[in-house]
Structures are given as structure tokens and as C-alpha cells.
Amino acid sequence: MARPTALTADQARARLHELTVIDVRTPGEYAAGHLPGAHNLPLDHLGQALPALKTAADRGALLVVCASGTRSATACQRLSEHGISAATLTGGTTAWTQLGHDTHRPAGTRAPWAMDRQVRLAAGTLVLTGLLAARRRPRARLLSAGIAGGLVFSALTNTCGLAKILAKLPHNRPRATDLEATLAALTG
């Protein structure tokens, strides 16, 4: 079984010309800005793309990218289980942009807020709504308690159900990934 590796943003930038970059974020996140030359292949489509990714890996090194490095590490582990060697970008596109490296955006797209910002807005709004509504109906405090519990669970498990829900909103999906075109680019 191939062993996943990690590259820092500076290491990846130095080798970008020799890497096939796979961005496993949602189409909305990808549209907000991605590494130059990256192919958008959302994590939930990874299984369908295994043959194309195997072909691409046989031609050269793969770099898997997400926002923070968590989803890309998951993708690298899945690829490793299928004998496909890939590296993850440590710190994801967040680390990449913090170092001032270039990102590309598809023409004509408007960047949505970052997902963590959307989660903070939604969670804060729901907590505040629960507290304000509790002035008339005391049981409405349960909404605030539920959100607080969800945030604690999110931190402990490093997952975020609210982010998964928000990712399905239309403004977070400006266009669907053209999976066929991405697979063709990886195999061609």
C-alpha cells in the first residue's frame, strides 16, 4: 500500500509544474480560489475517479488539496488503500494563500464567504434567535443549547454538520463539477 505524504505550501509551489493537483473541495469552494492548474474533484466523487487518478499518478506525482488539509488527508488515505500514491498540502489552500501564493478563479464567478465564516454567522444567528425567542417562550433556549452542543461536537470530532448543510446552498455551488471533463483531463 502506498504511503501518503505531505508537502508544505512552499514545497508544493516549487514543484507545482510537475504535480497534478486535485482539489477535493466543493465546487463553490473551488470557485472561490484554487491552486493554479488544479482539477476540481469533490471528495464525494473520489470513488468514481479512481481509474483516472491511477492513470494520472502513473504519469507523475499527485497533490491533493482542500481548505485546511483534513479532507485532502482523508482523500490521500483512500487513494493509498487503492495503491495510488498522493501527497496532501499541509494547511490546505488556507496556508497557500496566507503565504501569498497565487490562486485562480473561474471567469465570471463570485466568491462566496469562506465556509468557516458562514458557519460562524449561522451558528451565532441561531443562538441569538434562541435566546431572544426564549423571552416569550422559555423552551426556545433549547435551540441555543442544541447549537452549542453541535459546536462542541464539531470541535471534538473535527467535523462540521452545519458546514455540510451550508455547502448545499445555491450560493456555495455556483456550478457543478464537470466530472466527465475532469476525468478526461486526468487520463488524457
Side-chain angles (χ1 to χ4, degrees):
M1 176 170 20
R3 187 160 190 245
T5 59
L7 297 176
T8 66
D10 286 333
Q11 291 170 328
R13 183 172 181 245
R15 295 184 52 200
L16 199 57
H17 64 282
E18 67 187 56
L19 297 169
T20 300
V21 181
I22 308 298
D23 192 321
V24 295
R25 298 177 299 160
T26 65
E29 291 173 296
Y30 176 81
H34 55 271
L35 273 65
H39 300 279
N40 187 217
L41 184 61
L43 187 58
D44 57 346
H45 294 299
L46 196 65
Q48 294 172 261
L50 286 172
L53 290 168
K54 175 76 170 136
T55 300
D58 288 344
R59 283 196 317 266
L62 295 181
L63 176 65
V64 184
V65 178
C66 70
S68 67
T70 302
R71 285 176 284 180
S72 60
T74 299
C76 284
Q77 184 59 43
R78 284 190 200 164
L79 292 173
S80 176
E81 291 167 1
H82 292 278
I84 301 170
S85 179
T88 184
L89 179 63
T90 304
T93 56
T94 301
W96 181 270
T97 56
Q98 284 176 344
L99 291 173
H101 300 321
D102 290 337
T103 58
H104 292 176
R105 285 186 26 206
T109 59
R110 184 175 66 86
W113 281 3
M115 188 56 67
D116 65 319
R117 184 177 181 191
Q118 292 181 51
V119 167
R120 289 192 311 263
L121 175 67
T125 300
L126 289 169
V127 168
L128 190 56
T129 299
L131 292 174
L132 291 174
R135 295 177 73 193
R136 289 186 164 247
R137 301 199 183 265
R139 295 189 70 168
R141 288 183 305 214
L142 294 175
L143 174 63
S144 298
I147 295 299
L151 291 171
V152 170
F153 179 79
S154 173
L156 293 174
T157 62
N158 199 24
T159 62
C160 188
L162 187 53
K164 289 179 182 177
I165 293 168
L166 293 172
K168 296 179 187 296
L169 294 175
H171 68 274
N172 284 323
R173 299 182 307 158
R175 65 180 179 89
T177 299
D178 186 352
L179 187 58
E180 296 295 323
T182 300
L183 297 178
L186 292 172
T187 57

